[in-house]
């Protein structure tokens, strides 16, 4: 009886760890996808309106100092 309880607890802990890893992987994938979407939007903006891009970059450089 005692061994079956510890085996069950062990399996539950393993499953919780697997779930946690899946969650972390999903969050990283979402983060990467958002980064790629933002990059695509910026590239589209640069292609369409280069004068705005220069203003944005100048403002960004000023805030980084």
């Amino acid at each position: 009886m005692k061994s079956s309880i510890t085996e069950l607890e062990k399996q539950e802990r393993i499953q919780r760890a697997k779930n946690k890893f899946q969650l972390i992987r999903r969050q990283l994938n979402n983060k990467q996808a958002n980064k790629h979407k933002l990059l695509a939007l910026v590239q589209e903006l640069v292609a369409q309106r280069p004068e705005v891009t220069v203003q944005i970059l100048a403002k960004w450089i000023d805030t980084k100092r």
Side-chain angles (χ1 to χ4, degrees):
M1 185 75 180
K2 186 77 169 171
S3 64
S4 65
I5 292 174
T6 57
E7 184 64 29
L8 184 61
E9 288 174 353
K10 182 179 176 182
Q11 288 176 351
E12 286 174 352
R13 278 188 274 162
I14 290 171
Q15 189 58 47
R16 280 196 300 267
K18 286 180 182 179
N19 291 345
K20 189 172 185 178
F21 279 120
Q22 284 178 343
L23 176 65
I24 291 170
R25 275 193 220 106
R26 196 175 318 122
Q27 288 172 337
L28 287 174
N29 288 339
N30 288 344
K31 196 173 190 179
Q32 282 296 99
N34 287 340
K35 187 176 179 181
H36 289 301
K37 287 177 187 175
L38 179 61
L39 180 60
L41 286 172
V42 168
Q43 288 173 337
E44 189 175 330
L45 177 67
V46 168
Q48 292 177 1
R49 305 208 31 207
E51 70 281 357
V52 174
T53 305
V54 172
Q55 294 171 357
I56 292 171
L57 288 175
K59 191 180 287 186
W60 181 73
I61 289 170
D62 285 341
T63 59
K64 292 294 178 182
R65 288 184 186 175

